Amino acid sequence: MTDEHAILGPRPDYGFAHASEAEFARILDFYQVTWDYEPSVFPILWDLDGNVLESFAPDFYLPDLELFIELTTLQQRLVRKKNRKVRRLRELYPGLRIKLFYARDFRALMLKYGRAALLSELSGTLGQMMPHPEADDSAAAEPRSGAFDPSVPLDLVPAAPGASPGPRLHRDRPSRAARRRAMRKAAEAAAHAPAT
Amino acid sequence: MKHSQDLTADVAEVLLTEEQIAAKVAQMGQQISADYAGRELTLVSVLKGSLPFMADLMRRISLPLRIDLMEVSSYGGASTESSGLVRILKDLSAPIDGRDVLLVEDIIDTGLTLNYLLRYLKGKNPRSIKVCSLLDKPARRLVEIPIDYVGFEIPDAFVVGYGLDFGEVYRNLRFVGVLRPEAYES
């Protein structure tokens, strides 16, 4: 069978931050659902001068379904932080469709596909990090939450004057094209930021 | 996976009794009969889970109809690991072009399989294609697909019985029940 939506070629190395993200991508590939990894960065908090203080980059975008998906298999404290960001995202970008995929959702998915044995490798907190081969030990041990720290998106938008860059997460970006798209979207979003 | 010889012992709670299912299937059959009156209906059952539902539903539809069966590989299944892509394990046995197709599913949760199947079947040029599912678990939905006939909306729990399995077991239970966590965590 051929299908125009099928993903037949090899996928570029996306450098997933989590084993769970890589597994989720394999499931999407299996069912021939096109996806992009962290293609967009959405500013969600600005300072009084209009500089972006906080942004959010959902993990997956499914273009055919016009749906963003954020996987969260982390500890409860970080889930609350993510819930807050998703709520803020929905307030600021009401047309945007995003689904938060919790640990229990992922667990159910693995059970359904008979992959329960994988769960012990995929769940947890810091253990979820897939160390980048080139990353030094300290970077590899950083928790996933760093990906959503304000410091990460700030490399895509002008930083607030005098703002500390904060800790950075060592990770691969999907591709130059994806980064360019994300930068363009972030710049557009910043330009249309609500007055504060 | 370890299961009891008495399958009901692995069930924490009966979610839908045999009687509730039978009543709902009768109601769905009546509705489908009214909606498709005078049309060329083909019921397509998606193996294996929908078999009991299909068998009961088709006998509750009072129209001349055809039935067909399809089976697709599931993620994580042994037969699929070589390609990494979903495959049709059993295709339709007759053309459906120009016919009204009703896809019969046991349960819709993520919608990933259904999304794939609908795209595949639409490529065969049916006159229309609709979806009928005994169970709907909207909490798990990833792909939003309208389901035309839904028997029961169920909570976010791991259910077995009336065709639904865990590790190919429990399909022959006459009711739909919530599986005890011990049954799948062992």
Side-chain angles (χ1 to χ4, degrees):
Chain A
M1 172 193 149
T2 59
D3 189 314
E4 60 179 0
H5 300 285
I7 303 157
L8 300 173
R11 290 300 231 157
D13 177 14
Y14 276 81
F16 292 108
H18 281 182
S20 57
E21 290 173 0
E23 182 70 7
F24 190 74
R26 278 193 289 273
I27 293 170
L28 294 175
D29 276 350
F30 183 83
Y31 287 104
Q32 302 183 9
V33 176
T34 51
W35 54 269
D36 205 350
Y37 183 62
E38 292 190 349
S40 307
V41 179
F42 297 95
I44 56 172
L45 188 67
W46 292 263
D47 66 14
L48 291 173
D49 297 324
N51 298 311
V52 176
L53 294 179
E54 196 175 4
S55 299
F56 185 45
D59 293 325
F60 289 91
Y61 180 60
L62 314 184
D64 292 344
L65 309 173
E66 297 180 350
L67 175 69
F68 285 93
I69 291 179
E70 176 65 18
L71 290 187
T72 173
T73 53
L74 295 167
Q75 51 189 297
Q76 193 55 39
R77 181 177 58 83
L78 300 172
V79 170
R80 277 198 294 272
K81 189 175 170 186
K82 244 179 221 192
N83 280 336
R84 181 185 63 77
K85 287 191 171 192
V86 168
R87 244 188 343 265
R88 180 85 178 132
L89 191 71
R90 284 179 175 144
E91 286 166 9
L92 290 168
Y93 307 91
L96 186 143
R97 292 177 62 230
I98 181 163
K99 182 174 174 64
L100 199 51
F101 209 70
Y102 293 98
R104 63 171 183 268
D105 299 318
F106 193 77
R107 188 164 177 273
L109 206 58
M110 292 294 97
L111 277 176
K112 174 184 169 174
Y113 295 132
R115 314 269 284 182
L118 270 178
L119 283 170
S120 58
E121 298 166 34
L122 300 181
S123 60
T125 52
L126 302 183
Q128 285 183 313
M129 286 298 296
M130 291 173 69
H132 189 279
E134 293 169 11
D136 60 30
D137 289 343
S138 60
E142 271 189 83
R144 172 74 170 99
S145 59
F148 300 100
D149 278 352
S151 58
V152 173
L154 286 178
D155 63 351
L156 303 178
V157 293
S164 162
R168 300 184 71 82
L169 185 76
H170 185 113
R171 61 183 303 181
D172 276 347
R173 287 288 171 193
S175 66
R176 286 188 179 189
R179 285 204 303 271
R180 277 198 299 274
R181 280 199 303 278
M183 290 174 72
R184 195 167 53 244
K185 282 194 176 183
E188 285 169 8
H192 295 98
T196 52
Chain B
M1 188 200 112
K2 195 173 179 180
H3 55 82
S4 310
Q5 280 302 303
D6 173 13
L7 294 180
T8 58
D10 292 340
V11 174
E13 176 196 354
V14 174
L15 203 59
L16 301 167
T17 64
E18 193 177 351
E19 293 74 23
Q20 285 174 307
I21 295 170
K24 182 61 77 174
V25 173
Q27 188 188 334
M28 293 172 87
Q30 202 171 13
Q31 184 65 52
I32 291 165
S33 301
D35 293 350
Y36 283 91
R39 292 160 70 180
E40 300 280 324
L41 180 60
T42 299
L43 298 182
V44 174
S45 169
V46 185
L47 296 173
K48 302 173 192 168
S50 69
L51 259 184
F53 178 43
M54 173 74 153
D56 289 344
L57 181 68
M58 63 186 268
R59 289 178 291 169
R60 290 293 186 173
I61 298 174
S62 55
L63 304 170
L65 56 80
R66 291 184 194 168
I67 64 163
D68 214 329
L69 307 171
M70 284 193 79
E71 185 174 9
V72 296
S73 59
S74 174
Y75 180 74
S79 60
T80 61
E81 290 185 0
S82 57
S83 68
L85 292 174
V86 62
R87 281 194 302 123
I88 304 286
L89 299 177
K90 193 225 165 286
D91 207 341
L92 297 174
S93 56
I96 55 168
D97 55 297
R99 293 189 63 86
D100 293 298
V101 172
L102 187 59
L103 194 61
V104 178
E105 280 273 21
D106 49 352
I107 185 167
I108 310 290
D109 50 14
T110 61
L112 288 168
T113 305
L114 179 62
N115 178 54
Y116 171 79
L117 272 172
L118 284 176
R119 282 192 345 227
Y120 180 73
L121 291 174
K122 280 174 185 169
K124 292 181 175 288
N125 303 314
R127 180 172 179 264
S128 72
I129 183 158
K130 289 190 176 183
V131 179
C132 171
S133 181
L134 178 69
L135 307 177
D136 181 19
K137 201 192 280 185
R140 288 264 172 262
R141 192 81 83 252
L142 281 176
V143 185
E144 291 298 340
I145 296 170
I147 306 172
D148 304 279
Y149 302 94
V150 177
F152 302 94
E153 194 171 294
I154 60 165
D156 189 8
F158 201 101
V159 292
V160 293
Y162 197 68
L164 290 125
D165 76 310
F166 178 64
E168 293 296 331
V169 186
Y170 306 102
R171 293 192 196 277
N172 52 325
L173 290 174
R174 295 195 207 178
F175 55 85
V176 172
V178 178
L179 194 61
R180 286 186 190 282
E182 303 91 284
Y184 52 78
E185 283 172 357
S186 59

